[in-house]
Amino acid sequence: MSLTTYLTRRAAQKERVRILYRRALKDTLNWAVHRHLFYDDASILRDRFEKNKHVEDVDTIDQLIADGEASYNKWRHPDPYIVPWAPGGSKFNRNPTPPQGSYTRMVIGKGIIHFERVKHKGGVGIPLILEGCL
Amino acid sequence: MALRAAVLRHLRVPIQTAPWRGGASLRSMSSHDDHITKDEVIDRVLSVVRDFPKVDPSKVTPDVHFQKDLGLDSLDNVEIVMALEEEFKLEIPDKEADKIDSTHLAIEYISNHPMAS
């Protein structure tokens, strides 16, 4: 194996390990019902990664990563925490932008209010505009 | 619809002008308007990094590399990024989170994120 091939393979492995650790750590937080339990679980997880820190053989490393990923997938939380605004979160799309198109404008003049339909091409649709109230 | 429009066109309602409250306070109860300034982002990012157990707080500046300058390893880097996500209530995709390796990049990413709070 040439040096370049070796280095690219090692770089790919390092990235896989970082992403696996990140996902596993988040999953640990999902499983832990209290923060103080999470700290212990996180340190156990960290030890499991540290244990294989000095493995040199590339194929063994691949095998260890594959084992780790399999273990992560097996114990993945069925209902993980999702940040509210993210897809799947409790506030996802709660206040969607209004549809584009025509809208009703409320015009407030001197002592009168009237409404008019306004054709609106493109841009942000504004459902109600207060005009002239200053 | 036509009748409604006709009625509305001739509707006359006396109004009292309420004092204008200004644009910023119009959606004061909305959770989407709590934008944070870059200075606040810098302060909070640095305090998260300083609180990390393996970091010497005196070394932390707005332009410090986690692994080269603070002597952390790649897994510590992952932990710091996760702490930052929790601090700013963010969810950073794995590939992007993997690239954040310095306070400078973290500050840039978070201050440009529309949902950071």
Side-chain angles (χ1 to χ4, degrees):
Chain A
M1 198 176 359
S2 76
L3 185 64
T4 336
T5 330
Y6 174 77
L7 288 178
T8 16
R9 202 169 156 193
R10 286 293 294 133
Q13 284 176 340
K14 282 175 185 172
E15 190 186 349
R16 265 175 90 192
V17 170
R18 284 196 303 269
I19 287 179
L20 176 64
Y21 183 62
R22 180 180 156 78
R23 289 181 180 164
L25 194 60
K26 285 194 160 192
D27 215 41
T28 310
L29 188 56
N30 285 329
W31 281 110
V33 289
H34 289 297
R35 188 54 69 152
H36 66 271
L37 299 175
F38 164 73
Y39 292 131
D40 292 341
D41 295 348
S43 113
I44 292 168
L45 179 75
R46 177 81 191 224
D47 290 342
R48 283 172 70 191
F49 276 77
E50 295 282 349
K51 195 176 71 186
N52 298 319
K53 192 178 178 180
H54 300 291
V55 178
E56 294 292 333
D57 181 46
V58 194
D59 294 322
T60 321
I61 295 173
D62 267 337
Q63 187 55 46
L64 287 168
I65 296 173
D67 289 348
E69 283 172 347
S71 159
Y72 163 73
N73 282 324
K74 187 181 172 191
W75 296 106
R76 203 196 287 197
H77 199 285
D79 188 15
Y81 174 73
I82 301 172
V83 172
W85 51 263
S90 58
K91 280 187 177 175
F92 181 58
N93 266 354
R94 186 179 282 188
N95 292 311
T97 45
Q100 296 186 356
S102 62
Y103 59 92
T104 303
R105 180 156 66 175
M106 182 167 78
V107 183
I108 304 178
K110 289 179 181 165
I112 57 156
I113 296 177
H114 74 272
F115 297 87
E116 59 187 37
R117 297 294 288 177
V118 181
K119 284 283 177 196
H120 188 68
K121 287 175 190 165
V124 182
I126 306 162
L128 190 65
I129 293 182
L130 293 172
E131 282 188 354
C133 64
L134 285 180
Chain B
M1 203 61 206
L3 177 69
R4 184 172 170 272
V7 168
L8 289 178
R9 202 168 293 124
H10 294 288
L11 196 66
R12 297 288 182 271
V13 183
I15 56 155
Q16 295 167 330
T17 41
W20 193 247
R21 292 166 63 215
S25 62
L26 271 178
R27 299 192 62 209
S28 57
M29 300 297 278
S30 162
S31 62
H32 280 230
D33 279 352
D34 46 358
H35 298 303
I36 40 177
T37 59
K38 188 154 184 176
D39 289 336
E40 201 187 335
V41 172
I42 294 175
D43 276 353
R44 283 165 62 189
V45 166
L46 295 190
S47 71
V48 166
V49 178
R50 280 195 199 104
D51 284 345
F52 195 75
K54 297 173 194 171
V55 167
D56 176 9
S58 59
K59 284 186 187 166
V60 178
T61 63
D63 197 14
V64 75
H65 194 280
F66 296 144
Q67 293 179 47
K68 287 177 197 157
D69 303 330
L70 295 179
L72 302 177
D73 63 18
S74 55
L75 299 188
D76 295 326
N77 193 339
V78 171
E79 287 173 16
I80 285 190
V81 174
M82 194 170 141
L84 288 172
E85 278 183 281
E86 285 183 6
E87 168 72 20
F88 291 93
K89 301 186 201 114
L90 287 180
E91 189 157 287
I92 307 177
D94 290 340
K95 292 276 179 189
E96 290 170 26
D98 192 44
K99 292 189 176 66
I100 297 177
D101 57 359
S102 62
T103 48
H104 175 69
L105 267 180
I107 290 165
E108 282 299 311
Y109 188 92
I110 292 167
S111 60
N112 287 320
H113 199 293
M115 285 305 188
S117 61

